[in-house]
Amino acid sequence: MMEALKAINTRRSVRKYKKKKVPKKIIKELINAARNAPSSYNEQPWVFITITDKEKLRKIAEPEEQKSNFLKDAPLVIACCYDEKKSSTKIHNLENVAVAAENILIAANALGLGACYVTAFTSKYPVIEKRIRKVLKLPGNVHPVCLITIGYPDEEPVDKEMRPLKEVWKKEEYV
Amino acid sequence: MDAVKAVMTRRSIRKYKKKDVPKKLIMKLIDAARQAPSAYNDQPWEFIVVKNKETMKKITKYKSKFMLDAPVWIFCGYNKNKSSTEHDLENTALAIENLLITAHAMGLGAVYTGGYDPGDKSLEKAISKALNLPKNVHIVSIVCVGWPDEEPGEKEMRPLSNMTHFETF
């Protein structure tokens, strides 16, 4: 049990994990948390694919960008996607999936896990999404938004530099 | 409130008591929002807190009327000048979910409403004007916040098994 504000405010990206597996019961709890997110017109356009197969992770992780190389060592990855067939508005799919993804990140922290949000698409390297599509056998109507790497933390995340509260909080008007 | 419980029991609240939300709690909401992860830790978000009914009226022309009864609106957006990626929408949405869960955990009710429509720019224009937004700031959502005056009904949910796939789709 971890208090909600603490779970939100202490969550940091964790990229190094112990070899210990994440039990299925916990995986289920993470996805249950995700699907409780709000979505436009309650369409719940999301789809979650859990990946533990090392071979698949290795194929996905072949890095154009070295920074996501840690992905192959995660005991669990959850690919968070949206299914455009479940969405009538089309315009808010990215947000809907991101909101659900944040629930996974918070629940993971509260359950003693570490996690990191890794984007699944970038126009600079379209090959990343193509590879994800191929490995996960996604049909054309299902679009990956992010891959969340999850495991028991094997690092203490360092304090991150944050924009001060007064810089991001405006009152009544922007200026 | 336990974190997992807060995530699981959060529901959209659209009816509010006439009671104000103290500044200290608003600060907690935004403090939680800004703890979200963002691509390259850009933290491109901006939060504009509005209690002024005149400002609200200018916007509800394009939105649902219930919103006028919310004591607080938090416009959540991103600042293109703070961003180095194409992931601003997701980054802001992650921050918004922190805000919604924190509101619920503190006994407040909130709802995420859309802040733009690519097919019809009139809402975006009205917001820009009312808030004096510079061109580089884009609103993603107007989050209404207040003390709940309704019990949210059970929402229909797609079953877990319908959206969970193992190893491949």
Side-chain angles (χ1 to χ4, degrees):
Chain A
M1 296 276 276
M2 189 190 284
E3 208 261 324
L5 268 73
K6 188 179 171 195
I8 289 172
N9 292 335
T10 62
R11 185 220 54 80
R12 291 292 178 266
S13 297
V14 172
R15 298 179 178 82
K16 263 188 92 176
Y17 314 100
K18 294 186 176 137
K19 288 207 189 308
K20 190 177 159 190
K21 276 189 184 171
V22 180
K24 197 160 172 184
K25 205 182 129 195
I26 303 258
I27 300 178
K28 192 175 163 189
E29 195 150 15
L30 295 175
I31 293 172
N32 245 331
R35 74 189 186 110
N36 273 290
S39 58
S40 316
Y41 298 97
N42 191 26
E43 286 180 339
Q44 308 163 56
W46 38 64
V47 173
F48 305 98
I49 303 158
T50 58
I51 314 151
T52 52
D53 179 341
K54 286 287 159 208
E55 187 54 25
K56 281 202 176 62
L57 292 180
R58 198 189 52 73
K59 280 185 190 158
I60 293 173
E62 280 172 56
E64 267 62 34
E65 288 191 308
Q66 288 292 336
K67 69 175 185 69
S68 51
N69 204 14
F70 66 91
L71 195 135
K72 67 178 191 321
D73 299 320
L76 168 68
V77 170
I78 303 180
C80 306
C81 315
Y82 65 88
D83 179 348
E84 60 183 35
K85 285 190 184 159
K86 302 272 182 208
S87 156
S88 63
T89 62
K90 306 259 186 260
I91 52 180
H92 298 296
N93 290 324
L94 279 179
E95 296 153 63
N96 291 336
V97 175
V99 165
E102 184 65 2
N103 279 3
I104 294 184
L105 299 177
I106 297 166
N109 185 34
L111 296 169
L113 291 158
C116 184
Y117 181 111
V118 181
T119 185
F121 66 95
T122 154
S123 40
K124 199 170 157 198
Y125 300 113
V127 64
I128 292 176
E129 183 182 335
K130 274 190 200 148
R131 209 161 42 213
I132 292 171
R133 290 189 157 283
K134 196 176 159 200
V135 175
L136 302 184
K137 301 195 167 97
L138 302 183
N141 53 299
V142 173
H143 303 271
V145 177
C146 66
L147 305 171
I148 301 182
T149 56
I150 302 169
Y152 290 92
D154 199 22
E155 65 172 348
E156 279 295 324
V158 289
D159 244 324
K160 71 172 169 181
E161 266 190 54
M162 284 181 62
R163 291 176 62 204
L165 187 60
K166 66 176 193 310
E167 189 190 303
V168 296
W169 176 7
K170 321 268 185 195
K171 291 159 197 121
E172 300 301 337
E173 287 187 3
Y174 186 80
V175 239
Chain B
M1 188 187 290
D2 169 59
V4 176
K5 185 181 171 196
V7 167
M8 304 280 193
T9 58
R10 183 221 53 83
R11 292 292 177 265
S12 298
I13 298 290
R14 297 180 178 83
K15 267 187 91 175
Y16 315 95
K17 294 187 176 136
K18 286 207 189 312
K19 193 178 151 192
D20 190 28
V21 179
K23 195 168 162 181
K24 208 182 132 190
L25 294 190
I26 296 175
M27 192 203 72
K28 278 197 171 168
L29 295 176
I30 296 173
D31 199 24
R34 74 189 184 111
Q35 307 286 339
S38 57
Y40 296 97
N41 194 26
D42 282 340
Q43 309 165 54
W45 36 65
E46 306 275 5
F47 305 95
I48 303 134
V49 177
V50 170
K51 291 184 173 184
N52 186 327
K53 291 288 167 200
E54 289 313 308
T55 309
M56 292 182 182
K57 276 179 198 154
K58 289 177 193 161
I59 312 291
T60 35
K61 229 173 116 180
Y62 309 95
K63 299 285 291 176
S64 304
K65 297 292 169 254
F66 81 85
M67 292 174 65
L68 258 188
D69 299 325
V72 185
W73 287 9
I74 304 179
F75 290 80
C76 307
Y78 59 90
N79 185 341
K80 251 321 185 191
N81 292 351
K82 300 279 179 200
S83 156
S84 60
T85 74
E86 59 200 308
H87 298 293
D88 300 308
L89 273 180
E90 297 111 279
N91 292 335
T92 310
L94 294 166
I96 294 169
E97 183 64 355
N98 279 4
L99 200 156
L100 298 176
I101 296 166
T102 303
H104 175 55
M106 298 193 308
L108 289 159
V111 63
Y112 182 128
T113 79
Y116 68 99
D117 177 351
D120 175 8
K121 297 278 184 196
S122 46
L123 169 65
E124 211 173 310
K125 279 185 191 154
I127 293 176
S128 258
K129 201 173 159 206
L131 301 185
N132 245 323
L133 290 184
K135 287 222 175 326
N136 48 300
V137 174
H138 304 271
I139 298 302
V140 176
S141 163
I142 307 172
V143 177
C144 301
V145 183
W147 300 98
D149 199 21
E150 66 173 341
E151 278 296 323
E154 278 290 310
K155 75 169 170 181
E156 266 190 52
M157 284 179 66
R158 288 174 55 207
L160 190 63
S161 58
N162 173 281
M163 60 183 67
T164 313
H165 305 252
F166 297 97
E167 304 302 337
T168 60
F169 187 81

